[in-house]
Amino acid sequence: MEEVDVEPTTTPIPGIDSNQKHLGFVWGPGDILVYETIYKVSGGSAGGCPFVHEVRKDEDIYSPILRKLFNESHHIFVGLQRIREDLPSKNKKPQFVSISKNYRSVIRACMEELQQVAVSTQDAALATQYGNQVSILLAVELIWNLCEVLFIDAAPAGSLLLHLLDWVRLHKADVDEKAGEVLASESPAEHQAYWDVVISYVLQGRMDEARQVLVKQAALQPAARAMFKLLDNLLKKMPIFNPGETQTLTEFDVKWRHWREEVDRCLQDQSFASNPHLEIICKILVGDEDVLLEHKELLSTWYHFLVTRLLFSHPTVKSTELHYYAQSSMHMFLDTRSVPEPLDSILLAAFEFDIHQVIKDCSIALNNWWFVGHLTDLLDHCKLLQSHNLHFGSNLREFLLLEYASGLFTHHSLWQLAVDYFDHCPEFGRVYLELQIERVPLDTERKALKVIRICEQRQMPEQVRSICKIMAKKALRNNRLGSALSWSIRAKDAAFATLISERYLQEYCAKGTFSDLDLIDNLGPAMLLSDRLTFLGKYREFHRLYGEKRFSEAAKLLLSLMTAKIAPRSFWMTLLTDALPLLEQKEVIFSADQTHELMFCLEELTSWKSVPNPDRPMQDEDIETTKIELLRLALARNLAMAIVKEGTVEV
């Protein structure tokens, strides 16, 4: 058995003391049922706890706000699968970048909504829960954005740093809030956070904003105007690579080195010695690492330090060189005694271009499969995971999507999204869908029809039959015979259709009428599913013909039901009793041969009924005997009339 990468977290269950008693549990598709057994840890037995605890693996799917994340990302996922494989890579790359941004916009929208709810809620526990979810989504968006820059967009040297700057600016937005607060004050240049704002702008490479704020200070110090003018000129002249221009990377590098030498000369000349703030900014511009590390509070993270360090020391960095700078920046920034957080390890793995380590660490750190499933799917479409197959059959993409979709199937409405994920897992998706679809609770007929439609679209006849049988049994338990019959016909379950037909016949014997006449009248070819169902349909047809006074056709059908042995023997007396009104008609309905056949059926019935039945009441026996006598009399009279009629020659 493989060693686990990290020790699993312990989940305390209120009311259960695992140190005193053994616990029992049952695995479910998305949760575990835990209960106390009667056995003590020390031996012997004691009374068990009457409660069963449900321990959910993934609470996020029950959050109404996060459900929007699952729904929206599902649409993006389906759109990604439709991108044609045969398109050239250069045509697909912009589409992949656009899809990645769509995923991030959904994450950000969800995060903003959670923040609003966390602020507005009065419940402290709920506010904490929402706050934790916001923190997770912030980390998720940070990782995704970096993966987009490094793996999906894969920007070349020059452009790479621009993307990393955008990445840092997006996730370090508190600078603008602080700047707004400073500029809104009565005297911005004297505000205590003034220099923090200026330096923060410089650290993020936002030179235009830094210059605008510096103007406030220059206006207060006319004597130092030349010094401010010099720094403003250095900030203004700082070269920024523009991939849209004709300038080559080499030309940019030469230009940047000239500028760097100019800044360095200003430091050597001690041009800013009289103003420590301006001198600090100048030292930042030459990439002085000691000065950068003195501003840890403003940088706040090692990866911000990394990007700032690259901006002022190596703006033409290549993707292959990032891992060296990332490792050294992390070691320089973080306390050597502290253990890196999971987020730090994930980001470092990304800078090292170890995609599989990123996915692995995210799988361990995050509490559901949404992030790793969708990111891996996108990276797989970018042909970045081709070399990694799992030893137990499926590839990494499919494994993670199957896990994510299986979790969705435990939710009362999100299970519908999971179907599409299984559809796009070519190896094991169908097998998982066949197993999971039968676990969907069929609360209503509408939901059952939805599940059946999904199965029929995917040619899954066994699952369709199984669902129909479940619904038929449920309807029969509720005494809804019509619904039960229609479900059993749909399931092509002959045995169950026979059982329900028997119930209809019993109901007719008890009440003298049929319920659900529309259904029985319109059985069509479905009545051939079982003999009993055929009889039910034909017997109802007899009643309809009789009601329409088509006596000859009704008589012929009634006789055929008995002679063809379709009718159950127990129902013959009812059929013969139904024949009585036809036998009593003034006009002869049954011919002599037909009457003989009816007589033969009656005699066969009486010989079968002659076997004594001690459980049968005496009163029923008397009624039965009276019916038989009446039938014999009616048959004899009809036979005489039929013989006379058939023997009479019309002149």
Side-chain angles (χ1 to χ4, degrees), residues 324-578:
Y324 161 73
Y325 288 102
Q327 288 170 354
S328 59
S329 297
M330 185 167 142
H331 293 143
M332 290 165 68
F333 193 87
L334 297 178
D335 188 343
T336 51
R337 291 167 296 177
S338 63
V339 179
E341 293 288 326
L343 178 61
D344 298 323
S345 303
I346 293 165
L347 295 176
L348 182 61
F351 282 120
E352 291 171 347
F353 279 77
D354 191 344
I355 297 175
H356 299 113
Q357 192 62 43
V358 171
I359 293 166
K360 183 179 178 181
D361 289 349
C362 288
S363 300
I364 294 167
L366 299 173
N367 60 346
N368 70 56
W369 301 98
W370 179 89
F371 173 72
V372 286
H374 289 87
L375 179 63
T376 305
D377 173 58
L378 182 54
L379 295 175
D380 187 70
H381 276 82
C382 297
K383 307 294 183 191
L384 294 169
L385 294 171
Q386 298 306 301
S387 61
H388 198 77
N389 285 325
L390 303 179
H391 65 275
F392 45 83
S394 179
N395 61 34
L396 183 60
R397 169 195 174 271
E398 183 160 319
F399 169 75
L400 294 171
L401 287 178
L402 290 172
E403 287 296 318
Y404 171 64
S406 298
L408 290 182
F409 247 101
T410 63
H411 192 269
H412 64 88
S413 65
L414 294 177
W415 66 269
Q416 297 170 78
L417 307 182
V419 174
D420 285 324
Y421 288 95
F422 285 141
D423 282 346
H424 292 99
C425 293
E427 196 164 349
F428 294 119
R430 184 179 177 87
V431 177
Y432 269 67
L433 180 58
E434 287 173 353
L435 292 170
Q436 295 279 5
I437 202 83
E438 292 184 353
R439 293 177 176 174
V440 176
L442 304 173
D443 310 317
T444 62
E445 290 202 355
R446 184 181 175 187
K447 191 172 182 180
L449 289 169
K450 191 179 288 184
V451 176
I452 286 171
R453 188 165 61 251
I454 288 168
C455 294
E456 286 176 341
Q457 287 168 351
R458 288 155 184 81
Q459 285 80 50
M460 295 161 60
E462 286 302 317
Q463 282 66 33
V464 171
R465 274 196 289 275
S466 173
I467 292 161
C468 290
K469 285 180 181 180
I470 291 167
M471 294 306 294
K473 287 176 182 175
K474 193 178 283 189
L476 188 61
R477 276 199 302 271
N478 295 326
N479 209 31
R480 293 165 53 225
L481 294 182
S483 179
L485 182 58
S486 63
W487 282 115
S488 62
I489 290 169
R490 192 162 188 170
K492 295 182 174 59
D493 188 339
F496 206 69
T498 299
L499 175 67
I500 298 165
S501 302
E502 288 280 9
R503 289 282 293 270
Y504 267 114
L505 295 173
Q506 289 168 11
E507 184 185 65
Y508 176 78
C509 290
K511 299 179 180 177
T513 56
F514 284 114
S515 56
D516 306 302
L517 288 179
D518 285 346
L519 175 64
I520 300 171
D521 284 344
N522 295 287
L523 284 173
M527 72 169 68
L528 300 174
L529 182 62
S530 79
D531 287 348
R532 197 67 84 248
L533 187 58
T534 305
F535 170 72
L536 177 66
K538 290 295 180 184
Y539 184 56
R540 168 58 196 151
E541 189 180 338
F542 159 76
H543 277 275
R544 189 168 51 77
L545 292 171
Y546 186 87
E548 293 170 2
K549 300 192 183 304
R550 294 157 65 183
F551 298 133
S552 295
E553 293 173 59
K556 191 175 179 181
L557 179 57
L558 184 69
L559 187 63
S560 68
L561 289 175
M562 296 187 70
T563 54
K565 309 295 183 187
I566 294 176
R569 187 74 64 90
S570 59
F571 209 73
W572 277 21
M573 181 54 77
T574 304
L575 292 175
L576 288 167
T577 308
D578 285 335

Side-chain angles (χ1 to χ4, degrees), residues 16-28:
I16 282 187
D17 187 358
S18 58
N19 295 319
Q20 294 295 321
K21 292 182 183 176
H22 286 296
L23 300 182
F25 64 91
V26 180
W27 288 103

